Amino acid sequence: MQFSHEIIVPEAGYPFKIFLFEGGSGNYYREKHWHRSVEIFAVCGGELDFYIDDRKCHLEPDDFMIVNSNEVHAIASPLPNETIVLQIPLKMFADYFTGEDFIWFSHEPGRRDEHFMDLLKELYQVYISGRTGCDMKAKSIFYQLMYLLVKDFRLKEVDADSIRKNKNLNRLSLITSYIKDNYTGDLSLEGVAAVFDYSPNYLSRMFRNYAGITFKGYVQSVRLRYAARDLEDGRYSVTETALRNGFSGSKALARAFQKQYGILPSEFRGLAEQKNEKG
């Protein structure tokens, strides 16, 4: 199974990113993925299901989930919900690492902490208020949450296997970020391996073992995601879309696109145009 790497960027002027969960309307599923940031989901209404290490964790109102850095997880929200998401860059916890770029927080399903939840809700309301001084107020609430995280939720004793796995995913995160920055060019296994001073065989094994996909498959999946975005935008022809996103031509894009999405790029573009016209 493919595990995708997500890049998280804090809001300008803030040491965090906070927003309402994109699956709030229901009928939503986010496949397995990981990121270096720590992520907190606070359910204010409705419910969510998390899948972590083959465990299903069900969240109801006033439950929250702490997703650790490099922790592979999937999210399902079949029904409408209101969920606040707080994303914190890993570097914010640098003074509390228990290993190489490693910190781990407990996230028992159903664990309640009214004060922590109240602070999360207050942080979101202050952040969206736009009032004078809201940035300073939001930061003060955020650091209260940070204090509670390292005081009440941080695990001080962790096993060597967890640290080793985290170290390998940290390395892979750097490589997937490089691929996303250079996906339009020539990305061979040998070339990328040389950039990071790895042997091609070692890099190939890293993708299979920790991303659940081949190197070539990952590169193609990135190109397809950007190609789908261009087709949906409607400004480029299928051929232009192919060349803009690292494919040799329209036929190569069509083969990969149909295999991935079950539809030809031209058909996908047509459906997107119909949707835009109705919108």
Side-chain angles (χ1 to χ4, degrees):
M1 181 176 291
Q2 177 182 345
F3 304 156
S4 62
H5 173 237
E6 179 182 351
I7 299 175
I8 292 174
V9 180
E11 299 291 349
Y14 290 91
F16 60 85
K17 184 174 184 178
I18 190 167
F19 53 93
L20 288 181
F21 178 50
E22 61 186 7
S25 299
N27 193 29
Y28 176 93
Y29 180 77
R30 177 72 162 89
E31 72 279 0
K32 286 186 175 182
H33 63 287
W34 86 95
H35 38 71
R36 280 177 57 81
S37 297
V38 174
E39 193 170 43
I40 303 172
F41 287 77
V43 179
C44 302
E47 55 190 54
L48 282 182
D49 288 324
F50 275 79
Y51 298 88
I52 299 178
D53 293 333
D54 297 322
R55 293 185 300 113
K56 179 180 178 180
C57 305
H58 183 70
L59 273 64
E60 297 182 345
D62 292 325
D63 288 340
F64 61 87
M65 170 69 71
I66 303 173
V67 179
N68 289 287
S69 172
N70 290 336
E71 188 168 34
V72 177
H73 59 287
I75 314 166
S77 59
L79 300 175
N81 65 88
E82 183 179 8
T83 302
I84 297 170
V85 183
L86 175 64
Q87 297 172 333
I88 308 171
L90 184 63
K91 65 182 181 181
M92 296 296 297
F93 300 101
D95 291 339
Y96 299 91
F97 287 156
T98 52
E100 182 179 328
D101 289 347
F102 186 82
I103 189 170
W104 201 260
F105 299 99
S106 60
H107 51 46
E108 297 91 340
R111 176 173 179 175
R112 297 294 179 95
D113 187 315
E114 292 183 7
H115 182 46
F116 194 84
M117 263 312 269
D118 287 344
L119 284 173
L120 277 167
K121 293 176 182 178
E122 184 182 6
L123 173 60
Y124 179 72
Q125 292 302 321
V126 170
Y127 175 77
I128 65 172
S129 69
R131 294 191 299 267
T132 301
C134 67
D135 57 333
M136 290 187 287
K137 178 66 173 177
K139 290 175 185 176
S140 71
I141 299 169
F142 169 72
Y143 283 108
Q144 291 180 64
L145 287 166
M146 289 281 291
Y147 167 70
L148 293 177
L149 281 170
V150 299
K151 181 176 75 75
D152 296 336
F153 297 92
R154 180 172 66 108
L155 298 183
K156 297 179 181 179
E157 295 183 5
V158 293
D159 60 89
D161 286 341
S162 295
I163 294 176
R164 183 166 53 253
K165 181 179 180 181
N166 178 78
K167 183 178 180 180
N168 287 324
L169 283 174
N170 273 337
R171 292 172 176 171
L172 189 58
S173 293
L174 294 174
I175 297 166
T176 56
S177 296
Y178 177 84
I179 290 172
K180 288 179 180 179
D181 288 339
N182 298 277
Y183 70 95
T184 61
D186 181 19
L187 286 175
S188 66
L189 176 65
E190 293 75 16
V192 175
V195 169
F196 291 92
D197 199 25
Y198 295 143
S199 72
N201 286 337
Y202 180 83
L203 182 59
S204 178
R205 288 197 305 272
M206 185 182 293
F207 269 89
R208 288 199 305 269
N209 293 338
Y210 295 101
I213 190 173
T214 64
F215 171 85
K216 183 178 179 181
Y218 183 81
V219 171
Q220 183 160 282
S221 71
V222 171
R223 288 171 171 166
L224 284 171
R225 284 199 294 273
Y226 282 101
R229 186 187 64 178
D230 280 354
L231 291 168
E232 198 168 24
D233 181 74
R235 288 187 295 169
Y236 306 101
S237 68
V238 174
T239 299
E240 289 172 328
T241 297
L243 298 177
R244 276 174 49 84
N245 292 285
F247 291 93
S248 60
S250 58
K251 290 184 178 180
L253 172 61
R255 285 194 300 270
F257 202 92
Q258 188 167 38
K259 183 177 180 180
Q260 178 75 18
Y261 300 112
I263 187 173
L264 289 170
S266 56
E267 296 171 328
F268 182 86
R269 190 171 185 271
L271 291 173
E273 289 175 350
Q274 293 176 17
K275 183 179 178 180
N276 291 334
E277 289 174 359
K278 291 180 181 178

